[in-house]
Amino acid sequence: MCYRILIVDDEETLCEALKFNLEEEGYEVDTAYNSEQVLTMDTSRYDLMLLDIMMGDISGTQLAKIIRSNPATAATPIIFCTAKDSEDDMVKGLELGADDYITTPYSLRNVLARVKTVLRRMNSGARPSRSPEDAVSFQGLQILPSKKVCLVDGEEIKLPKKEFEILLKLVRNIGRVFSREEILKDIWPDEVVVVDRVVDVNVTRIRQKIGKYGKHIKSRSGYGYGFMN
């Protein structure tokens, strides 16, 4: 399969360098030098987008929100490549639904490796497909995977990316208990060191945010977590 990639960056030289190296790896690559140009394109044809953050009137984060709000591109993988390297910037980018966040200066080799990892994850089914998806529901708890939206009795609640993915995994598999190791492997597939405690912390936050439905997330001592009727 030949993947199509869109690079969006106002530095033309960088765009062309990335384009050349990605094409050498066998990808089909297009470039755009600002967000406004992207909005005139058929973005649904791309399998992955590389976005700069600091661009003109419409920033990369604003463009990502637009991409995520469009059902045709809501599940398209996004990688931010940017000089904005503070922890707050990174968290904001990931909470927008970005699949990776690369800060400059970076090597082309690193970018190629990250692209390959994200596409492999998408192809393995570790993230939702690009086709429209039905809501995943339990009573008044509703999760819309393609829109990255969670509703509790009709009211939207904000969940960071990892919390959203954990809740979706549990509610999609009501009655099944997942070990912490299984959750770590699925939700944090590329991190080298992530301790079990991270799962516990995220589950605690989810329980608090989804109100009365939090009681349905059960822990099984020595095993892990499951969403129970």
Side-chain angles (χ1 to χ4, degrees):
M1 178 179 180
C2 184
Y3 291 105
R4 296 187 180 94
I5 297 174
L6 176 64
I7 303 168
V8 188
D9 198 305
D10 56 5
E11 293 188 31
E12 295 186 26
T13 302
L14 180 57
C15 269
E16 294 307 314
L18 286 171
K19 175 180 170 69
F20 174 80
N21 283 271
L22 287 165
E23 287 180 339
E24 286 291 297
E25 293 293 314
Y27 302 113
E28 290 185 16
V29 184
D30 290 329
T31 59
Y33 304 130
N34 55 62
S35 298
E36 290 82 354
Q37 183 182 351
V38 176
L39 297 179
T40 68
M41 303 168 65
D42 177 13
T43 51
S44 65
R45 65 189 296 268
Y46 297 105
D47 299 293
L48 182 143
M49 298 185 196
L50 289 167
L51 307 183
D52 183 25
I53 286 182
M54 296 180 289
M55 295 185 294
D57 294 331
I58 302 177
S59 69
T61 52
Q62 290 173 310
L63 179 59
K65 288 181 181 178
I66 295 170
I67 290 167
R68 287 284 176 256
S69 67
N70 181 351
T73 56
T76 301
I78 293 173
I79 299 177
F80 282 125
C81 296
T82 179
K84 300 192 74 172
D85 59 356
S86 74
E87 184 176 352
D88 286 344
D89 290 325
M90 187 174 298
V91 169
K92 182 179 179 181
L94 294 174
E95 287 184 347
L96 279 172
D99 294 78
D100 209 340
Y101 192 105
I102 309 173
T103 58
T104 57
Y106 51 75
S107 68
L108 289 170
R109 185 177 179 183
N110 182 29
V111 175
L112 293 173
R114 301 287 191 95
V115 166
K116 189 174 294 185
T117 296
V118 170
L119 288 173
R120 182 172 64 244
R121 189 190 314 162
M122 178 189 75
N123 199 43
S124 69
R127 58 174 290 120
S129 70
R130 290 172 57 186
S131 58
E133 296 176 279
D134 293 330
V136 178
S137 303
F138 174 82
Q139 298 178 9
L141 175 64
Q142 187 177 44
I143 305 169
L144 309 176
S146 64
K147 294 183 178 180
K148 305 296 185 290
V149 169
C150 179
L151 303 171
V152 173
D153 294 330
E155 181 177 348
E156 181 177 352
I157 61 167
K158 300 296 184 182
L159 294 177
K161 185 171 186 288
K162 300 301 186 184
E163 292 178 17
F164 183 90
E165 291 180 350
I166 291 172
L167 180 60
L168 178 61
K169 183 180 182 68
L170 296 180
V171 179
R172 267 184 172 161
N173 297 274
I174 291 176
R176 177 178 172 184
V177 174
F178 291 94
S179 69
R180 290 175 177 82
E181 291 75 17
E182 287 177 301
I183 295 172
L184 286 172
K185 184 177 180 181
D186 189 22
I187 309 301
W188 286 269
D190 304 313
E191 281 79 351
V192 177
V193 179
V194 181
V195 297
D196 288 356
R197 178 63 180 159
V198 171
V199 176
D200 299 335
V201 170
N202 277 271
V203 169
T204 297
R205 291 173 179 165
I206 294 168
R207 281 173 170 156
Q208 293 171 346
K209 291 177 181 179
I210 63 174
K212 62 186 179 183
Y213 303 107
K215 66 184 180 182
H216 292 279
I217 302 179
K218 305 291 187 181
S219 60
R220 293 290 183 259
S221 181
Y223 293 96
Y225 294 98
F227 196 96
M228 307 297 173
N229 284 315

